[in-house]
């Protein structure tokens, strides 16, 4: 499988931004982790992060016909980006939404996801492991 791992605003600051919530591992460690996990399963994973909504939409649109699955952490766009929702619905590549923290136990606005309905599932509160859990969902679906 070919995975596109998409990360939205501020995820480039992993390890620095509120480590009590998001952990101490940095963004590069996250990318290494998902790339290694993919490789262990005969797959590949490409990481992309942007603080810009349009760049994320462009990456989703460009994924069509190139990737088998998208694992996306839209960051704050989760709560209000109908444009990302629409982009996910517009491509034939299935997506799984991931959040590092438990979005249901934080501020009330964080529990609302407008992008979730465009995804096959959502994982939250599992730390960085949520990314590999989402990848495993797709790997299991691909098994004969």
């Amino acid at each position: 499988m070919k995975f596109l791992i998409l990360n939205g605003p501020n995820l480039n600051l992993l390890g620095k931004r509120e480590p009590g919530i998001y952990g101490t591992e940095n963004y590069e460690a996250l990318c290494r982790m998902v790339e290694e996990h993919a490789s262990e399963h005969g797959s590949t994973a490409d990481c992309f992060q942007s603080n810009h909504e349009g760049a994320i939409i462009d990456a989703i649109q460009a994924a069509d016909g190139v990737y088998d699955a998208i694992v996306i952490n839209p960051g704050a766009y989760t709560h209000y980006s109908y444009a990302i929702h629409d982009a996910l619905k517009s491509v034939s590549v299935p997506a799984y939404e991931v959040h590092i923290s438990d979005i249901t136990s934080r501020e009330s606005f964080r529990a609302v996801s407008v992008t979730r309905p465009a995804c096959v599932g959502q994982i939250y509160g599992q730390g960085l492991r949520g990314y590999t859990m989402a990848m495993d969902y797709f790997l299991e679906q691909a098994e004969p």
Side-chain angles (χ1 to χ4, degrees):
M1 291 197 82
K2 290 181 72 175
F3 291 99
L4 176 60
I5 312 298
L6 283 178
N7 285 287
N10 299 311
L11 286 154
N12 57 309
L13 297 178
L14 283 175
K16 297 178 188 176
R17 177 183 173 219
E18 301 179 274
I21 295 173
Y22 298 105
T24 57
E25 294 289 329
N26 64 22
Y27 182 73
E28 291 74 24
L30 167 63
C31 290
R32 274 193 312 275
M33 180 189 75
V34 297
E35 289 164 0
E36 289 171 5
H37 189 74
S39 179
E40 290 167 3
H41 292 87
S43 300
T44 61
D46 295 326
C47 290
F48 178 79
Q49 186 278 328
S50 181
N51 294 318
H52 305 280
E53 184 179 35
I56 295 167
I57 292 165
D58 289 344
I60 293 167
Q61 292 176 356
D64 208 14
V66 176
Y67 291 95
D68 300 305
I70 296 171
V71 175
I72 183 168
N73 182 339
Y77 291 133
T78 301
H79 317 299
Y80 62 90
S81 182
Y82 291 101
I84 290 175
H85 168 277
D86 291 349
L88 291 168
K89 296 286 281 188
S90 297
V91 298
S92 62
V93 185
Y96 210 106
E97 184 174 296
V98 172
H99 297 282
I100 296 167
S101 69
D102 180 353
I103 58 174
T104 65
S105 68
R106 298 181 63 198
E107 301 93 339
S108 60
F109 75 88
R110 293 190 192 274
V112 176
S113 173
V114 301
T115 51
R116 164 59 184 102
C119 297
V120 298
Q122 181 189 65
I123 296 173
Y124 54 85
Q126 299 299 312
L128 299 185
R129 190 170 90 87
Y131 289 84
T132 57
M133 293 169 70
M135 293 168 74
D136 288 344
Y137 167 83
F138 291 116
L139 290 165
E140 290 167 10
Q141 299 299 311
E143 288 179 359

